[in-house]
Amino acid sequence: MHALKSATLAICACLALPVGAIAEGDPKPGFMDLITPDAIAGSVASVAISALRTQMEVEYDHMETDVMRGTVALSGVTLRPQLSYDRARQCEITLARVRFDIGKHRPLLAASNVSATAIGAKANIACLERDIGLMLRSAGYAEIEVDRLVYEMDYFHGSGEIRTNISATINDLATVDVAMSGAILPRLDRYGYAGDPAVRLHRAVLGVQDHGGWARLSQLMPENLRQPDIIRGIGTEELTNMLSQNGTRALTSTERRFIDDLMDHVARFVREPGEITIEAELPVGGIVIEPEVYQSPEELLQALAPDARSAPLAQSQLISSDLLSRTNGELTRAERLELAGALLEGRGLPRAEALVPELLAQMVDATSADGAQAALLTARALMPHDARSAYLHALIASEARLPEAVPLLDALEARMTTVAVIETQKAYLDDSDAVVGIDALPADGDVREVRRMALARFTGLGAARSYRLAYYYALIAEAAGDIGARPLREDIEARFANRGEDVTEMWMQTRAKLQELALKDWIELDLAARFGRSD
């Protein structure tokens, strides 16, 4: 009995001890640590890789996922694809690192982005078709090594435009760059159903830069065929046969010019290996290519009218040093606008939007076309870091009836509180010399003109946006019997609905004051007599 009592006391004492006194060790992860977003993303990526393994062997040393940035990266990757011409299964591709990105930040472009970047890629010759592999082996290539391979695609939600960039740097061979942008347009077939789409093409560029590939590959050709004039003649003959469909159709002047221009650059390349670029110089709005055009090489060439160049067209449009050296006040207004646009886009000189406001400060106004354009460019430059100042400049552009100002105002209001928007609009009107309120009402009693004034103030097209003035004019127009004023007034009131208590309280007070003011002006100035009609 005494022994049993002693054992019971010992067990109770052990249970009373802290857990740390019983067991030592590292802390264990909790349940929430196991279901983090990155852990879930890693599991999804692992499932995707498992699915890929049904088509090829896949091995990797490390995988990293980042949900907040939308990236998945694999390091030390080895791929062994199944190829119909590689019956011995000798093809092996290794990559030092490959990164997939679906969340690259596009602050002002409102675009979705998808990209894949591979660095340190190597593939043995067995991964290529036998004829191509034999040619490369004969030229001294034991493997194909790619320093960097990039594929990037942007989809712009507002226009539906798709921009694609592909770049591959192949060691001891060449660098290949492809850039295209366009939008897919719907088309109906002859039966009225959805058919092959058309394409609105904005840009098409192909560039190839030699990195020793020609010196190696040319050794496979007989000596007499390496001469520039011989290569030019052979290339002209082959292209002519292809585009003329073996002589069944006559070449157009565009096709002949392209062939001559391209083969001139090829001959120059053979003499001094460097770079060849084929680029279509398209208008600002692009061109529409119908299905029957892009399905026919000769018609596509006729539509694009590409140029063969030694460098991309952008390299011939760089901003001159003379223009940059005169930024201290010697620039004309047109030159300032040109330079500001280039600074915003990084076109022809390094991007530097922070310099735009100072560059255009002395010419911003709403009374001239270039002054309003300067205000618009300044607003775009200020938008990322100073929404209020950007909004003030966008109001100047809206007063000059620039249509680009309306979406800019909407985008800026999404970055500001409604209270701040109303205060900024009031501050702009207080500083301007514009005739507003009762003094701006038409003397001839045209009630539709009052509604037009309300709409202009509400949208910001043709007048500086002001919700207070828009509501005041809408109240007057509705009272005067305008049939379109009531829906407009309701739209203005809906602008302030469901935006929190602060906005609701502010709008209730503002609306009450505006209604009192409209009623006061209606009575004191006898607006009923001005807008009334007896017939």
Side-chain angles (χ1 to χ4, degrees), residues 185-330:
L185 309 177
R187 289 292 184 269
L188 300 178
D189 61 16
R190 58 179 179 173
Y191 302 108
Y193 297 104
D196 295 331
V199 177
R200 186 184 299 278
L201 192 65
H202 296 280
R203 190 184 187 206
V205 185
L206 168 65
V208 179
Q209 185 179 38
D210 179 68
H211 292 317
W214 173 250
R216 290 192 179 191
L217 296 174
S218 63
Q219 299 304 314
L220 304 178
M221 303 169 61
E223 178 65 30
N224 58 331
L225 293 183
R226 300 181 205 166
Q227 303 304 315
D229 293 338
I230 300 297
I231 292 177
R232 186 186 190 285
I234 294 174
T236 301
E237 210 174 289
E238 293 298 324
L239 284 173
T240 301
N241 285 336
M242 182 187 74
L243 295 177
S244 66
Q245 299 176 357
N246 293 323
T248 59
R249 60 178 290 272
L251 295 182
T252 64
S253 58
T254 300
E255 293 168 332
R256 292 185 182 279
R257 181 185 60 79
F258 171 71
I259 292 174
D260 292 341
D261 197 21
L262 176 61
M263 297 320 299
D264 284 342
H265 282 81
V266 169
R268 189 183 310 164
F269 178 88
V270 172
R271 294 188 187 95
E272 297 180 9
E275 182 176 355
I276 294 180
T277 299
I278 300 176
E279 181 171 3
E281 189 172 354
L282 304 176
V284 176
I287 61 172
V288 176
I289 302 177
E290 299 295 339
E292 56 271 16
V293 174
Y294 63 68
Q295 292 170 0
S296 171
E298 55 273 9
E299 291 190 26
L300 180 61
L301 183 64
Q302 179 75 11
L304 294 179
D307 291 326
R309 311 173 57 88
S310 58
L313 181 63
Q315 289 187 234
S316 65
Q317 299 174 338
L318 305 183
I319 303 298
S320 66
S321 300
D322 174 66
L323 184 64
L324 296 175
S325 64
R326 293 190 287 116
T327 57
N328 56 356
E330 302 175 1

Side-chain angles (χ1 to χ4, degrees), residues 65-81:
T65 60
D66 190 332
V67 172
M68 299 306 295
R69 293 182 176 85
T71 62
V72 176
L74 300 174
S75 303
V77 181
T78 301
L79 307 175
R80 299 185 186 89

Side-chain angles (χ1 to χ4, degrees), residues 149-152 164-168 176-180:
L149 176 64
V150 178
Y151 172 82
E152 185 173 26
T164 302
N165 290 280
I166 303 173
S167 179
V176 181
D177 296 300
V178 178
M180 297 184 67

Side-chain angles (χ1 to χ4, degrees), residues 95-119:
L95 303 98
R97 190 170 189 268
V98 59
R99 172 189 171 103
F100 302 95
D101 192 335
I102 59 173
K104 189 173 291 184
H105 188 45
R106 293 287 188 267
L108 300 180
L109 300 181
S112 298
N113 172 270
V114 175
S115 65
T117 304
I119 59 174

Side-chain angles (χ1 to χ4, degrees), residues 84 214-215 284 309 376 386 490:
S84 58
W214 173 250
V284 176
R309 311 173 57 88
L376 186 68
D386 191 347
E490 292 175 348

Side-chain angles (χ1 to χ4, degrees), residues 441 447 450-451 453-455 458 467-482 484-490 492 518:
L441 293 177
V447 69
V450 181
R451 189 218 306 174
M453 294 166 56
L455 185 62
F458 183 47
Y467 294 134
R468 295 169 66 254
L469 278 179
Y471 192 69
Y472 173 83
Y473 292 140
L475 290 173
I476 297 296
E478 184 181 20
D482 180 64
R486 183 184 59 80
L488 178 57
R489 174 185 58 77
E490 292 175 348
I492 298 171

